[in-house]
């Protein structure tokens, strides 16, 4: 019988479960189950669907794995979402997700009251509508009867941890994306929540924030029955998705990871807090006791999906078209569902420089550039904040499988782009945490031991500074953003 640890990625789109051998980090098995689809600006999911997907994926992976003993589980997942529970631990309403932008008005009012500078200084970030703080304010304003029943507030990965253990626990990486936690001092900012309702005992409603090597508990008998395991498994603190991804990739200070998933994210790692006075860089915590400066855009791979549909092409065909385009043609500000960075929730996509000579190839390239350039702009904010970017460039996520994504990124940065032998980096990072906690090994030491191989997947072929400059001009146009009325 092989002793394994389980890493979980409960994302917006699906739940991925991966088993790894405890002794050497070999991948043993893995499975995926879909979550209900969402479509911003209103983006909500029933947390029970997350649990059902997790159980289904876990059982499928277990059947695939054969004779194994699951010793530890760690759950990582989508950040920011609000899971409201009543006094009996039951879900009150569907969870509002990170990409639900209907809470922008509440966020702006809270930002005015707290002060942008104070928010950045205390939380490390200038919260957008993605952050949990805005979801709670919306809940109080729009559903007062449901809000009166609120007893516990969890984040998405916390909910699965709760179903596994019965414990209300989170970790500092997830807590640092709420808008009411200070990741430098490792404490909740209850005064931010008091602005929503000063009569509530907010401290009693929030989960315990565990350290990176923290243990939430062990699996309950009910959870074991549902999962189909006979022995209790340790459940570690878990974390946010990109935070776990950094651990699974084994990145070092100076590396820049470009994640092309539902959202687009660029992140690095640093031992010291990062504070961006302009609010573009989120100075959130990582899973090793340090920090994970990141910039997140709302529009990632779904932009490619949209243009593939509009052009009647599959993803391979669209990528091939984009690589055949010359140096001319339109540019796309890919704010299709509003945008998080820059903070423009009411924006929409803007395609500029169309002419009668515009080709299918040029349109395809504009789609990929719209996603890539948005994250390249994010990396420039890292450099402005003196975050090191002199290491390797790594591309991950579904859209990173496209040759067009990788080539456009290499051309935009003038650096080679690497792929990593870790197709499910988030689940892998969660498993690293679980194995480290179970074996009482320092997390960074085990992450280095389990570090996956990297390979160069694209070399810069032609510098695209002029196209990026034109993109920046188009992306700055905000006069067409929808009215707030």
């Amino acid at each position: 019988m092989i002793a394994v640890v389980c890493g979980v990625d409960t994302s917006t789109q699906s739940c991925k479960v991966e088993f790894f051998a405890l002794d050497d980090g070999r991948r043993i098995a893995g499975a995926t189950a879909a979550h209900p689809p969402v479509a911003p600006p209103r983006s909500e999911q029933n947390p029970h669907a997350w649990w059902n997907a997790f159980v289904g994926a876990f059982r499928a992976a277990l059947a695939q794995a054969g004779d194994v003993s699951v010793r530890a589980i760690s759950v990582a997942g989508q950040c920011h979402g609000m899971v409201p529970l009543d006094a009996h631990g039951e879900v009150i309403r569907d969870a509002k997700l990170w990409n639900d932008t209907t809470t922008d008005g509440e966020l702006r009012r809270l930002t005015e009251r707290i002060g942008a500078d104070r928010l950045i200084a205390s939380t490390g970030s200038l919260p957008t509508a993605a952050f949990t703080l805005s979801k709670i304010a919306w809940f109080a304003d729009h559903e007062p009867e449901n809000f009166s029943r609120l007893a516990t507030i969890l984040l998405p990965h916390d909910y699965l941890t709760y179903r596994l253990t019965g414990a209300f626990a989170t970790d500092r990486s997830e807590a640092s994306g709420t808008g009411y936690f200070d990741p430098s001092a490792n404490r909740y900012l209850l005064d931010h929540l008091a602005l929503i309702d000063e009569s509530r005992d907010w401290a009693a409603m929030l989960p315990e924030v565990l350290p990176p090597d923290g243990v939430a508990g062990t699996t309950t008998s009910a959870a074991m029955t549902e999962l189909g395991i006979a022995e209790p498994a340790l459940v570690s603190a878990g974390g946010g998705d990109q935070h776990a991804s950094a651990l699974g990739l084994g990145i070092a200070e100076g590396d820049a990871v470009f994640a092309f998933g539902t959202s687009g994210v660029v992140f690095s790692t640093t031992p010291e807090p990062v504070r961006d006075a302009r609010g573009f860089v989120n100075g959130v915590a990582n899973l090793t006791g340090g920090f994970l400066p990141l910039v997140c855009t709302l529009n990632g791979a779904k932009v490619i999906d949209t243009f593939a549909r509009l052009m009647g092409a599959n993803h391979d065909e669209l990528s091939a078209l984009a690589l055949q385009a010359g140096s001319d043609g339109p540019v796309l500000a890919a704010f299709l569902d509003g945008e998080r960075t820059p903070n423009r929730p009411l924006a929409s996509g803007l395609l500029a420089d169309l002419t009668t000579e515009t080709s299918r190839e040029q349109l395809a390239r504009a789609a990929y550039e719209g996603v890539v350039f948005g994250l390249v702009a994010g990396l420039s904010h890292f450099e402005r904040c003196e975050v090191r970017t002199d290491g390797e460039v790594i591309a991950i996520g579904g859209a990173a499988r496209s040759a067009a994504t990788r080539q456009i990124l290499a051309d935009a940065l003038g650096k080679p782009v690497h792929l990593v032998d870790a197709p499910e980096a988030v689940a892998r990072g969660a498993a690293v945490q679980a194995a480290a906690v179970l074996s009482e090994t320092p997390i960074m030491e085990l992450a280095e031991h389990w570090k996956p191989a990297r390979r160069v997947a694209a070399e810069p072929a032609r510098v695209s500074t002029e196209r990026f400059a034109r993109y920046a001009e188009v992306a700055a146009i905000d006069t067409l953003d929808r009215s707030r009325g």
Side-chain angles (χ1 to χ4, degrees), residues 7 26 58 64 71 77 97 129 141 152 156 170 244 260 334 384 390 453:
R26 287 176 296 119
F58 187 97
Q64 183 189 130
R71 302 289 182 82
L97 306 187
D141 287 349
T152 304
T170 191
F260 298 98
R384 178 176 52 76
D390 57 338

Side-chain angles (χ1 to χ4, degrees), residues 2-4 18-21 24-30 61 64-66 68:
I2 302 173
V4 301
E18 299 275 308
F19 291 160
F20 296 86
D24 60 5
R26 287 176 296 119
R27 182 185 181 277
I28 301 298
Q64 183 189 130
V68 299

Side-chain angles (χ1 to χ4, degrees), residues 226-239:
E226 290 201 63
L227 296 177
I229 58 177
E231 298 294 330
L234 175 149
V235 180
S236 60

Side-chain angles (χ1 to χ4, degrees), residues 58-59 62 70 73 219 221 223-233:
F58 187 97
R59 282 185 165 270
L62 193 62
V70 181
I73 301 171
T219 48
S221 58
M224 289 162 57
T225 298
E226 290 201 63
L227 296 177
I229 58 177
E231 298 294 330

Side-chain angles (χ1 to χ4, degrees), residues 436-450:
V437 172
L438 181 67
S439 63
E440 298 184 347
T441 303
I443 292 178
M444 286 295 293
E445 180 180 322
L446 191 69
E448 182 62 28
H449 180 60
W450 283 22

Side-chain angles (χ1 to χ4, degrees), residues 96-117:
K96 276 197 169 293
L97 306 187
W98 63 274
N99 58 350
D100 184 307
T101 58
T102 62
T103 63
D104 179 61
E106 285 75 17
L107 184 281
R108 290 179 182 274
R109 286 190 288 275
L110 283 168
T111 300
E112 288 176 3
R113 296 184 68 184
I114 300 170
D117 292 344

